[in-house]
Amino acid sequence: MRAEPQSFDRVLSSMCTEPHEAAREAAERFLATNPGDPATYPAIADMEGEVVDALGQIASLSDPHGFVASGGTEGNIQAVRAARECSTARNPNVVAPETVHFSVRKAADVLDVELRTTPVDGDYRADPEAIEAATDENTAAIVAVAGSTEYGRVDPIPALGDVATDAGAMLHVDAAWGGFVLPFTDYEWDFDVAAVDTLAMDPHKLGQAAIPAGGFLAREQATVDALAVETPYLESATQATLTGTRSGAGVASAMAAIEALWPEGYRETYERQQELADWLAEELAALGLDVVEPSLPLVTANLDPTLFDALREAGWRVSRTATGELRVVCMPHVTRELLEAFLDDVRALRPRAAVAADD
Ligand SMILES: Cc1ncc(COP(=O)(O)O)c(C=O)c1O
């Protein structure tokens, strides 16, 4: 095999990062284990329980239920599936702000549930009134985002919890990206502040574990039970995860990363990366760009499409929002030096891009 994995030198678009050293080692050690078959691989199955407990602690849930998923997509699909299973509606629907991650669209699609998306407020956050207006007696779940993919915004979770309670629906919080930094902010996002039923948070994103490591948490065991199917040929009775065979690497690396970093390491990461995001936002604004003020370590700004293409051509792994804005995710591998080099290229390529755009 000749191919080499890409380096993180110029990666500004990813919500994943280099795993913590301890996570990398743990992933390798537990690569050939399968928590999906707990009677055969009890050590990794026990460790999965420890990861769920640790995730519960981070998300303020003292008696957590759940499992390590393959990522945020599985977490969101499982949340919608649990809500559908727990709902008595014949044609259940799910209501979410339009900023919801596209995995919720997949969830609606594979589960044959109607997804109703609602406009966000002027700051890209879910509008509880719009969410409420979209709910009805068939609403099985409201999905809120704590750390949105494009703008890093945190929806008003307590207000959405009230709407969900009034509608008799479950509230799922998608903190797949934000979950490991939100504990160090003033945002209200977790099980403690609202009627949150389920929550997704991914060790393989800001948790600095190896891929695949997502987390699915539920307040009630009954929610996880609603997902369980019988597993006749295994020595364990049921399985609640969507995937069958699962890599123990995800579980072990999540545990190792959390042991190494919770809470102080994550706090330092948050403070450093947030400071960088705030600084980048100021620098981009000084260049005359329209910048969306970062609320988490993610910067979005209007950028000329020709300049965007020139930056991609120069090797920068940057990405765009649905409406074409530049999106820079300040993950732990992103340093001040890296952003300075990026800004140098923005300045250098700007005049050339302007000429190309005029042609
Ligand atoms: C908020 C949010 N939810 C869910 C996901 C999907 O996660 P994954 O790609 O790990 O399945 C993402 C991915 O970036 C995300 O940002």
Side-chain angles (χ1 to χ4, degrees):
M1 189 181 79
R2 290 226 196 99
E4 288 291 325
Q6 95 300 319
S7 89
F8 278 91
D9 277 6
R10 292 187 161 216
V11 174
L12 298 177
S13 55
S14 183
M15 293 193 133
C16 294
T17 191
E18 293 218 62
H20 185 278
E21 198 46 47
R24 189 182 284 275
E25 275 172 27
E28 209 177 315
R29 263 195 318 136
F30 283 86
L31 199 56
T33 63
N34 171 17
D37 181 1
T40 307
Y41 301 91
I44 197 71
D46 289 349
M47 202 191 296
E48 181 171 22
E50 289 171 37
V51 173
V52 170
D53 286 345
L55 294 176
Q57 197 189 343
I58 298 171
S60 306
L61 187 60
S62 54
D63 183 20
H65 308 279
F67 44 80
V68 173
S70 55
T73 300
E74 185 182 343
N76 288 341
I77 291 175
Q78 291 286 64
V80 174
R81 184 171 157 232
R84 186 193 68 173
E85 294 305 304
C86 294
S87 166
T88 51
R90 281 255 300 277
N91 294 307
N93 64 68
V94 169
V95 181
E98 61 194 352
T99 45
V100 78
H101 186 263
F102 58 74
S103 51
V104 177
R105 290 178 210 287
K106 291 186 191 175
D109 198 16
V110 295
L111 295 165
D112 199 19
V113 165
E114 182 195 353
L115 174 62
R116 300 177 177 176
T117 56
T118 60
V120 289
D121 67 14
D123 193 29
Y124 308 98
R125 299 175 350 131
D127 172 1
E129 279 180 25
I131 294 276
E132 185 171 22
T135 60
D136 60 20
E137 69 282 3
N138 292 325
T139 301
I142 291 173
V143 179
V145 193
S148 63
T149 315
E150 296 195 333
Y151 299 99
R153 290 302 193 247
V154 182
D155 289 335
I157 311 283
L160 295 174
D162 293 343
V163 175
T165 304
D166 289 348
M170 290 175 86
L171 177 67
H172 172 62
V173 173
D174 179 359
W177 178 67
F180 283 86
V181 292
L182 285 162
F184 312 107
T185 68
D186 292 332
Y187 292 110
E188 297 183 299
W189 68 285
D190 63 14
F191 285 94
D192 204 28
V193 297
V196 176
D197 292 287
T198 55
L199 184 144
M201 57 185 289
D202 288 352
H204 74 202
K205 294 189 173 73
L206 282 160
Q208 300 173 52
I211 301 168
F216 175 82
L217 292 178
R219 194 184 285 275
E220 305 291 341
Q221 178 61 38
T223 308
V224 178
D225 290 345
L227 297 168
V229 298
E230 285 176 11
T231 50
Y233 75 91
L234 299 180
E235 287 305 310
S236 46
T238 61
Q239 190 175 81
T241 52
L242 200 56
T243 47
T245 300
R246 290 182 287 144
S247 172
V251 172
S253 71
M255 195 67 257
I258 294 169
E259 272 179 6
L261 294 167
W262 172 258
E264 279 317 309
Y266 289 128
R267 182 194 301 279
E268 280 164 26
T269 303
Y270 163 67
E271 286 172 357
R272 189 178 59 242
Q273 301 315 119
Q274 186 64 48
E275 202 178 303
L276 269 183
D278 292 339
W279 173 79
L280 175 66
E282 275 172 30
E283 293 291 313
L284 291 173
L287 288 173
L289 274 65
D290 266 347
V291 181
V292 179
E293 201 184 317
S295 42
L296 288 176
L298 193 162
V299 181
T300 309
N302 255 335
L303 191 78
D304 179 272
T306 324
L307 178 52
F308 180 89
D309 292 343
L311 288 164
R312 290 276 313 176
E313 229 161 85
W316 290 103
R317 300 283 175 251
V318 281
S319 66
R320 272 173 285 205
T321 65
T323 51
E325 295 144 304
L326 166 75
R327 173 178 164 274
V328 173
V329 193
C330 295
M331 292 299 288
H333 63 267
V334 175
T335 60
R336 170 86 176 227
E337 206 184 1
L338 180 63
L339 291 178
E340 275 171 1
F342 175 67
L343 285 166
D344 284 348
D345 275 4
V346 172
R347 289 186 198 99
L349 294 168
R350 214 147 61 126
R352 259 185 280 162
V355 171
D358 284 348
D359 284 348

